[in-house]
Amino acid sequence: MARVALHDLSKRFGDHTAVDSFSLQIADREFVVLVGPSGCGKTTTLRMIAGFESPDNGSIVIGERDVSRVATKDRNLAMVFQKYALYPHMNVFRNMAFGLKLRKTPKAEVRRRVEQTAEMLGISHLLTRKPADLSGGEQQRVALGRAVARDADVFLFDEPLSNLDAKLRVRMRSEIVKLHRKLQATMVYVTHDQVEAMMMGDRIVVMNEGRIQQVGTPLDVYNSPQNRFVAEFIGSPPMNVLDGQLTNDNDQPAVKIGDWTVPISKARAGRYTELVGKPIALGIRPEDIRLTPPGDGENWLAIESEIQVTQPLGAEWLIELEAHGQSFVARSPASSAPSTPTGSITSHWNLARCHLFDGRTGAAVMGAKEI
Ligand SMILES: Nc1ncnc2c1ncn2[C@@H]1O[C@H](COP(=O)(O)OP(=O)(O)OP(=O)(O)O)[C@@H](O)[C@H]1O
Ligand SMILES: [Mg+2]
């Protein structure tokens, strides 16, 4: 197994910069997820690590070796891609053995590894079947098995679950997480699905337009987004972000959103005095808006709100509300959900959990922990 160091990687296609100054240190045995919207450069980054794409700039180190100019087959990687095309004329055993045979692994060793991997993935009973006789989920496991049967230094996954139905996806996510633990391998996993990223990664790397936006543990990124893009991308439903202006009338800092004024704590006023009078965006996660009166001790703001849409999801509900001409979503346990689908309700905002973003650059000026 091995660490991976990516230094200042860039890749252009014609005039378009697909990946821009991408630097990241991935520790030995770490599970890192690259996540971001379609076209943000995830696959291109992975393809550069794999050696399918040569960077215009930067270097790639795997283990202690600079592989920037080393051919794919000599980088000792195993890969699973979205289109995992199994060989249709070979049975599962031969599909899984293929990479090992290419590497001239002795026959008895091939058998041992394939059988052991099949056991781990729960597909031992499928070894003699052809891919056409397997369900989508079984084919997916075989594709995974084909990759992990090899003793690779680093595993690369590019949206390997995107062909599966929702239920199977959830199951396969935990299978891959368990596999990571068993193999003690370094893994780089690409997805555009932020829920998948949050569930799987030791660390996640949020990308947009070819650039890294933030790197951190899932909870770090969720609780302390460094900019508005990350705040709105990570979390389902996303953080509510309302555009306004920072004011400081009568020495009370506040965000003015239309005719509405949301006071903010004075405690850290020094951090944002230079932004007074400038555009600012106020962010609050749906779970930080309650529909029942909160207990004491925190900094709550009660807001008379109109119910727009209610979405009962079972244990919890999402409620779209409107106040002062602004729409926002609250997440509520079913037990305190509104009893009618329309009407007025008081929503309670946990001001201690609000975020502020610079209205022009989107950079966080104040995170939830700091307000
Ligand atoms: N071979 C290519 N030639 C020209 N442009 C390309 C090529 N490959 C990728 N691009 C462009 O580079 C950008 C990044 O593409 P990439 O495939 O890395 O995105 P992605 O994050 O993997 O997206 P998705 O989630 O849709 O798979 C896109 O704008 C894409 O159109
Ligand atoms: Mg892609």
Side-chain angles (χ1 to χ4, degrees):
M1 297 306 149
R3 72 184 181 106
V4 178
L6 309 174
H7 178 66
D8 204 20
L9 285 182
S10 293
K11 180 71 188 176
R12 282 178 296 281
F13 295 108
D15 287 345
H16 180 71
T17 303
V19 177
D20 195 3
S21 306
F22 188 107
S23 293
L24 181 69
Q25 302 279 338
I26 301 169
D28 184 26
R29 301 177 189 191
E30 193 176 15
F31 194 129
V32 165
V33 180
L34 309 186
V35 65
S38 183
C40 73
K42 306 178 296 292
T43 295
T44 307
T45 305
L46 208 66
R47 286 174 59 82
M48 287 193 282
I49 303 174
F52 294 134
E53 225 47 274
S54 52
D56 295 317
N57 188 52
S59 65
I60 301 165
V61 172
I62 298 178
E64 301 310 315
R65 192 163 63 121
D66 187 328
V67 297
S68 306
R69 309 212 173 283
V70 172
T72 298
K73 66 178 176 43
D74 300 320
R75 294 192 187 190
N76 201 21
L77 307 164
M79 292 165 258
V80 184
F81 290 114
Q82 182 176 351
K83 298 189 190 79
Y84 45 77
L86 299 170
Y87 305 109
H89 56 289
M90 295 183 190
N91 67 18
V92 168
F93 183 94
R94 289 179 58 210
N95 261 286
M96 288 175 64
F98 192 77
L100 291 166
K101 282 190 178 155
L102 272 189
R103 295 178 160 251
K104 313 240 179 305
T105 313
K107 225 172 171 178
E109 173 71 5
V110 172
R111 175 154 294 281
R112 191 186 66 76
R113 295 195 71 117
V114 170
E115 283 175 356
Q116 193 182 36
T117 309
E119 175 79 36
M120 194 158 69
L121 288 167
I123 50 174
S124 302
H125 60 296
L126 304 176
L127 286 174
T128 55
R129 285 209 215 158
K130 294 267 177 65
D133 303 330
L134 302 175
S135 73
E138 288 165 345
Q139 289 185 30
Q140 186 73 68
R141 281 166 194 245
V142 176
L144 273 177
R146 186 170 60 176
V148 304
R150 295 236 348 257
D151 196 10
D153 285 334
V154 179
F155 291 84
L156 306 177
F157 300 95
D158 191 356
E159 312 243 8
L161 308 184
S162 50
N163 297 333
L164 305 181
D165 68 47
K167 203 169 161 196
L168 204 50
R169 266 184 95 121
V170 171
R171 210 173 75 209
M172 287 302 290
R173 276 176 198 158
S174 30
E175 299 277 336
I176 294 177
V177 169
K178 282 190 241 159
L179 201 62
H180 173 247
R181 262 186 232 137
K182 273 191 201 151
L183 295 174
Q184 301 261 305
T186 309
M187 292 187 173
V188 187
Y189 187 102
V190 161
T191 179
H192 63 271
D193 179 343
Q194 51 90 20
V195 176
E196 195 159 291
M198 293 284 290
M199 283 179 60
M200 297 179 80
D202 292 328
R203 280 191 307 160
I204 64 181
V205 178
V206 185
M207 293 179 71
N208 190 33
E209 295 179 346
R211 300 188 76 99
I212 294 182
Q213 303 294 312
Q214 187 165 355
V215 181
T217 64
L219 288 181
D220 266 352
V221 172
Y222 186 84
N223 289 324
S224 310
Q226 275 168 17
N227 62 38
R228 181 171 177 166
F229 175 83
V230 176
E232 292 182 294
F233 188 77
I234 299 291
S236 175
M239 183 185 286
N240 300 294
V241 182
L242 308 177
D243 287 298
Q245 204 181 38
L246 194 66
T247 59
N248 195 21
D249 298 344
N250 305 321
D251 206 24
Q252 170 57 62
V255 182
K256 202 160 168 20
I257 304 163
D259 65 352
W260 181 23
T261 302
V262 180
I264 52 178
S265 146
K266 290 181 188 176
R268 301 237 166 188
R271 290 273 306 269
Y272 45 81
T273 43
E274 69 209 46
L275 291 168
V276 171
K278 304 226 166 94
I280 200 110
L282 176 81
I284 184 164
R285 293 219 178 265
E287 59 270 31
D288 296 322
I289 302 177
R290 289 204 197 152
L291 302 179
T292 46
D296 294 338
E298 294 205 66
N299 196 3
W300 294 89
L301 180 70
I303 299 167
E304 289 315 311
S305 314
E306 289 296 316
I307 303 171
Q308 301 294 311
V309 180
T310 54
Q311 290 180 43
L313 300 180
E316 64 171 30
W317 290 43
L318 300 178
I319 298 110
E320 199 182 310
L321 300 163
E322 197 181 291
H324 301 273
Q326 303 289 325
S327 294
F328 48 90
V329 174
R331 187 201 296 271
S332 164
S335 54
S336 46
S339 51
T340 56
T342 54
S344 301
I345 193 165
T346 307
S347 64
H348 303 269
W349 288 34
N350 186 349
L351 294 181
R353 302 282 308 164
C354 282
H355 301 253
L356 293 185
F357 303 100
D358 186 310
R360 285 157 307 170
T361 65
V365 282
M366 192 161 56
K369 284 183 200 149
E370 302 171 286
I371 202 163

